[in-house]
Amino acid sequence: MRLAVELANTVHARQGELRDELQTPAQLAAWLDQVGPLLTVPVAGRSPRSVSRSDLASARDLRDAIRAVAAATSTGQAPDRASIERLNAAVRVAPRWQELSPDARSTATRHGAAGVPGALAEVAADAIDLLSAGRVGACAAPGCVLLFVRDRPNREWCGNACGNRARVARHHDRHKQPAPQHDRD
């Protein structure tokens, strides 16, 4: 599970309608709780009261930038400069660095900012890592808007359900009988 993809996929399609899972600060707080184990930045007290409307706007803006860049790069197009700048601006919020542990056997990532801005900066850093390596794909299944981490070069779908749906649609298209033509003489 990658932070950038998890944030991007808070927009998804259900029964042909787009759903946005980040409409309130409480929903952002719940999402932060869900991905909390993946974060190295402390986001103490992720209660709905500790997440502001400004935090929500920042999260949604970052999500939209990730989705825009991923959509462009997964189809071989150049992403727009505004989306790239929004990603870069989000990662600049919290400088991060590596510190050596007291036993000198491992390192830990440290951040200059904690809380929601630091968490979003970590998501942006993950997005930059994935996008720069070309590892994010947009699902090619009809009606799906999810992103996925491309773990093999020929992967086209976010999951098995979308792959099955796309294969069934292709099979149906190949074997569909043309409508009979009636002569009117």
Side-chain angles (χ1 to χ4, degrees), residues 88-105:
N88 287 337
V91 80
R92 287 184 204 120
V93 170
R96 39 190 264 170
W97 60 90
Q98 294 289 318
E99 287 185 0
L100 195 59
S101 67
D103 65 2
R105 293 180 186 215

PDB file of all heavy atoms in Angstrom, residues 88-105:
ATOM      1  N   ASN A  88       5.224  19.591  -5.983  1.00  0.00           N
ATOM      2  CA  ASN A  88       6.484  20.065  -5.411  1.00  0.00           C
ATOM      3  C   ASN A  88       6.247  20.999  -4.234  1.00  0.00           C
ATOM      4  O   ASN A  88       6.967  20.941  -3.234  1.00  0.00           O
ATOM      5  CB  ASN A  88       7.331  20.757  -6.480  1.00  0.00           C
ATOM      6  CG  ASN A  88       7.923  19.761  -7.450  1.00  0.00           C
ATOM      7  OD1 ASN A  88       8.087  18.589  -7.139  1.00  0.00           O
ATOM      8  ND2 ASN A  88       8.226  20.226  -8.651  1.00  0.00           N
ATOM      9  N   ALA A  89       5.246  21.858  -4.316  1.00  0.00           N
ATOM     10  CA  ALA A  89       4.938  22.770  -3.210  1.00  0.00           C
ATOM     11  C   ALA A  89       4.498  21.987  -1.979  1.00  0.00           C
ATOM     12  O   ALA A  89       4.860  22.329  -0.851  1.00  0.00           O
ATOM     13  CB  ALA A  89       3.864  23.776  -3.629  1.00  0.00           C
ATOM     14  N   ALA A  90       3.726  20.923  -2.184  1.00  0.00           N
ATOM     15  CA  ALA A  90       3.252  20.129  -1.050  1.00  0.00           C
ATOM     16  C   ALA A  90       4.398  19.432  -0.328  1.00  0.00           C
ATOM     17  O   ALA A  90       4.405  19.341   0.899  1.00  0.00           O
ATOM     18  CB  ALA A  90       2.226  19.099  -1.525  1.00  0.00           C
ATOM     19  N   VAL A  91       5.395  18.967  -1.066  1.00  0.00           N
ATOM     20  CA  VAL A  91       6.502  18.266  -0.430  1.00  0.00           C
ATOM     21  C   VAL A  91       7.454  19.228   0.281  1.00  0.00           C
ATOM     22  O   VAL A  91       8.132  18.856   1.240  1.00  0.00           O
ATOM     23  CB  VAL A  91       7.253  17.362  -1.444  1.00  0.00           C
ATOM     24  CG1 VAL A  91       8.202  18.138  -2.298  1.00  0.00           C
ATOM     25  CG2 VAL A  91       7.956  16.225  -0.748  1.00  0.00           C
ATOM     26  N   ARG A  92       7.470  20.486  -0.135  1.00  0.00           N
ATOM     27  CA  ARG A  92       8.361  21.467   0.487  1.00  0.00           C
ATOM     28  C   ARG A  92       7.891  21.920   1.862  1.00  0.00           C
ATOM     29  O   ARG A  92       8.635  22.570   2.582  1.00  0.00           O
ATOM     30  CB  ARG A  92       8.471  22.705  -0.397  1.00  0.00           C
ATOM     31  CG  ARG A  92       9.287  22.489  -1.631  1.00  0.00           C
ATOM     32  CD  ARG A  92       9.422  23.784  -2.412  1.00  0.00           C
ATOM     33  NE  ARG A  92       9.698  23.491  -3.791  1.00  0.00           N
ATOM     34  CZ  ARG A  92       8.941  23.842  -4.808  1.00  0.00           C
ATOM     35  NH1 ARG A  92       7.852  24.568  -4.615  1.00  0.00           N
ATOM     36  NH2 ARG A  92       9.257  23.506  -6.019  1.00  0.00           N
ATOM     37  N   VAL A  93       6.678  21.607   2.231  1.00  0.00           N
ATOM     38  CA  VAL A  93       6.125  22.072   3.506  1.00  0.00           C
ATOM     39  C   VAL A  93       6.923  21.537   4.686  1.00  0.00           C
ATOM     40  O   VAL A  93       7.154  22.248   5.657  1.00  0.00           O
ATOM     41  CB  VAL A  93       4.635  21.671   3.621  1.00  0.00           C
ATOM     42  CG1 VAL A  93       4.101  21.923   5.007  1.00  0.00           C
ATOM     43  CG2 VAL A  93       3.820  22.431   2.596  1.00  0.00           C
ATOM     44  N   ALA A  94       7.327  20.305   4.614  1.00  0.00           N
ATOM     45  CA  ALA A  94       8.026  19.697   5.747  1.00  0.00           C
ATOM     46  C   ALA A  94       9.361  19.137   5.292  1.00  0.00           C
ATOM     47  O   ALA A  94       9.414  18.100   4.657  1.00  0.00           O
ATOM     48  CB  ALA A  94       7.183  18.583   6.349  1.00  0.00           C
ATOM     49  N   PRO A  95      10.435  19.831   5.589  1.00  0.00           N
ATOM     50  CA  PRO A  95      11.735  19.262   5.243  1.00  0.00           C
ATOM     51  C   PRO A  95      11.932  17.935   5.980  1.00  0.00           C
ATOM     52  O   PRO A  95      11.482  17.779   7.095  1.00  0.00           O
ATOM     53  CB  PRO A  95      12.741  20.298   5.728  1.00  0.00           C
ATOM     54  CG  PRO A  95      11.977  21.420   6.280  1.00  0.00           C
ATOM     55  CD  PRO A  95      10.532  21.075   6.276  1.00  0.00           C
ATOM     56  N   ARG A  96      12.570  16.993   5.322  1.00  0.00           N
ATOM     57  CA  ARG A  96      12.818  15.708   5.970  1.00  0.00           C
ATOM     58  C   ARG A  96      14.279  15.352   5.847  1.00  0.00           C
ATOM     59  O   ARG A  96      14.952  15.790   4.924  1.00  0.00           O
ATOM     60  CB  ARG A  96      11.940  14.596   5.419  1.00  0.00           C
ATOM     61  CG  ARG A  96      11.710  14.623   3.967  1.00  0.00           C
ATOM     62  CD  ARG A  96      10.672  13.656   3.512  1.00  0.00           C
ATOM     63  NE  ARG A  96      11.302  12.423   3.061  1.00  0.00           N
ATOM     64  CZ  ARG A  96      10.657  11.338   2.791  1.00  0.00           C
ATOM     65  NH1 ARG A  96       9.381  11.288   2.926  1.00  0.00           N
ATOM     66  NH2 ARG A  96      11.288  10.265   2.389  1.00  0.00           N
ATOM     67  N   TRP A  97      14.719  14.589   6.772  1.00  0.00           N
ATOM     68  CA  TRP A  97      16.109  14.183   6.757  1.00  0.00           C
ATOM     69  C   TRP A  97      16.232  12.841   7.459  1.00  0.00           C
ATOM     70  O   TRP A  97      15.332  12.405   8.164  1.00  0.00           O
ATOM     71  CB  TRP A  97      16.996  15.232   7.444  1.00  0.00           C
ATOM     72  CG  TRP A  97      16.649  15.476   8.883  1.00  0.00           C
ATOM     73  CD1 TRP A  97      17.157  14.826   9.973  1.00  0.00           C
ATOM     74  CD2 TRP A  97      15.705  16.415   9.394  1.00  0.00           C
ATOM     75  NE1 TRP A  97      16.596  15.309  11.128  1.00  0.00           N
ATOM     76  CE2 TRP A  97      15.704  16.296  10.802  1.00  0.00           C
ATOM     77  CE3 TRP A  97      14.871  17.362   8.807  1.00  0.00           C
ATOM     78  CZ2 TRP A  97      14.893  17.063  11.624  1.00  0.00           C
ATOM     79  CZ3 TRP A  97      14.065  18.130   9.624  1.00  0.00           C
ATOM     80  CH2 TRP A  97      14.087  17.979  11.022  1.00  0.00           C
ATOM     81  N   GLN A  98      17.352  12.194   7.225  1.00  0.00           N
ATOM     82  CA  GLN A  98      17.640  10.913   7.854  1.00  0.00           C
ATOM     83  C   GLN A  98      18.510  11.141   9.083  1.00  0.00           C
ATOM     84  O   GLN A  98      19.440  11.936   9.033  1.00  0.00           O
ATOM     85  CB  GLN A  98      18.389   9.992   6.884  1.00  0.00           C
ATOM     86  CG  GLN A  98      17.589   9.567   5.692  1.00  0.00           C
ATOM     87  CD  GLN A  98      16.492   8.585   6.063  1.00  0.00           C
ATOM     88  OE1 GLN A  98      16.706   7.679   6.860  1.00  0.00           O
ATOM     89  NE2 GLN A  98      15.324   8.786   5.491  1.00  0.00           N
ATOM     90  N   GLU A  99      18.185  10.457  10.171  1.00  0.00           N
ATOM     91  CA  GLU A  99      19.018  10.476  11.368  1.00  0.00           C
ATOM     92  C   GLU A  99      19.442   9.055  11.681  1.00  0.00           C
ATOM     93  O   GLU A  99      18.666   8.117  11.493  1.00  0.00           O
ATOM     94  CB  GLU A  99      18.251  11.051  12.561  1.00  0.00           C
ATOM     95  CG  GLU A  99      18.043  12.533  12.478  1.00  0.00           C
ATOM     96  CD  GLU A  99      17.398  13.085  13.729  1.00  0.00           C
ATOM     97  OE1 GLU A  99      17.106  12.321  14.676  1.00  0.00           O
ATOM     98  OE2 GLU A  99      17.195  14.304  13.761  1.00  0.00           O
ATOM     99  N   LEU A 100      20.652   8.930  12.146  1.00  0.00           N
ATOM    100  CA  LEU A 100      21.174   7.639  12.543  1.00  0.00           C
ATOM    101  C   LEU A 100      20.635   7.293  13.926  1.00  0.00           C
ATOM    102  O   LEU A 100      20.590   8.140  14.815  1.00  0.00           O
ATOM    103  CB  LEU A 100      22.706   7.701  12.565  1.00  0.00           C
ATOM    104  CG  LEU A 100      23.472   6.396  12.604  1.00  0.00           C
ATOM    105  CD1 LEU A 100      23.123   5.528  11.400  1.00  0.00           C
ATOM    106  CD2 LEU A 100      24.959   6.693  12.628  1.00  0.00           C
ATOM    107  N   SER A 101      20.238   6.036  14.106  1.00  0.00           N
ATOM    108  CA  SER A 101      19.720   5.615  15.408  1.00  0.00           C
ATOM    109  C   SER A 101      20.860   5.555  16.420  1.00  0.00           C
ATOM    110  O   SER A 101      22.034   5.476  16.043  1.00  0.00           O
ATOM    111  CB  SER A 101      19.055   4.247  15.287  1.00  0.00           C
ATOM    112  OG  SER A 101      20.029   3.264  14.989  1.00  0.00           O
ATOM    113  N   PRO A 102      20.535   5.571  17.725  1.00  0.00           N
ATOM    114  CA  PRO A 102      21.592   5.524  18.745  1.00  0.00           C
ATOM    115  C   PRO A 102      22.500   4.304  18.643  1.00  0.00           C
ATOM    116  O   PRO A 102      23.675   4.373  18.991  1.00  0.00           O
ATOM    117  CB  PRO A 102      20.806   5.503  20.060  1.00  0.00           C
ATOM    118  CG  PRO A 102      19.511   6.154  19.732  1.00  0.00           C
ATOM    119  CD  PRO A 102      19.219   5.776  18.307  1.00  0.00           C
ATOM    120  N   ASP A 103      21.993   3.185  18.133  1.00  0.00           N
ATOM    121  CA  ASP A 103      22.838   1.998  17.998  1.00  0.00           C
ATOM    122  C   ASP A 103      23.586   1.957  16.667  1.00  0.00           C
ATOM    123  O   ASP A 103      24.316   1.012  16.389  1.00  0.00           O
ATOM    124  CB  ASP A 103      22.016   0.722  18.176  1.00  0.00           C
ATOM    125  CG  ASP A 103      20.973   0.524  17.094  1.00  0.00           C
ATOM    126  OD1 ASP A 103      20.879   1.359  16.162  1.00  0.00           O
ATOM    127  OD2 ASP A 103      20.228  -0.472  17.181  1.00  0.00           O
ATOM    128  N   ALA A 104      23.397   2.970  15.840  1.00  0.00           N
ATOM    129  CA  ALA A 104      24.060   3.114  14.539  1.00  0.00           C
ATOM    130  C   ALA A 104      23.756   1.960  13.594  1.00  0.00           C
ATOM    131  O   ALA A 104      24.519   1.679  12.684  1.00  0.00           O
ATOM    132  CB  ALA A 104      25.561   3.292  14.708  1.00  0.00           C
ATOM    133  N   ARG A 105      22.642   1.303  13.806  1.00  0.00           N
ATOM    134  CA  ARG A 105      22.273   0.176  12.943  1.00  0.00           C
ATOM    135  C   ARG A 105      21.137   0.503  11.983  1.00  0.00           C
ATOM    136  O   ARG A 105      20.835  -0.269  11.093  1.00  0.00           O
ATOM    137  CB  ARG A 105      21.875  -1.021  13.786  1.00  0.00           C
ATOM    138  CG  ARG A 105      23.042  -1.571  14.547  1.00  0.00           C
ATOM    139  CD  ARG A 105      22.629  -2.754  15.363  1.00  0.00           C
ATOM    140  NE  ARG A 105      23.746  -3.158  16.178  1.00  0.00           N
ATOM    141  CZ  ARG A 105      24.012  -4.391  16.480  1.00  0.00           C
ATOM    142  NH1 ARG A 105      23.246  -5.342  16.030  1.00  0.00           N
ATOM    143  NH2 ARG A 105      25.037  -4.670  17.228  1.00  0.00           N
TER     144      ARG A 105
END
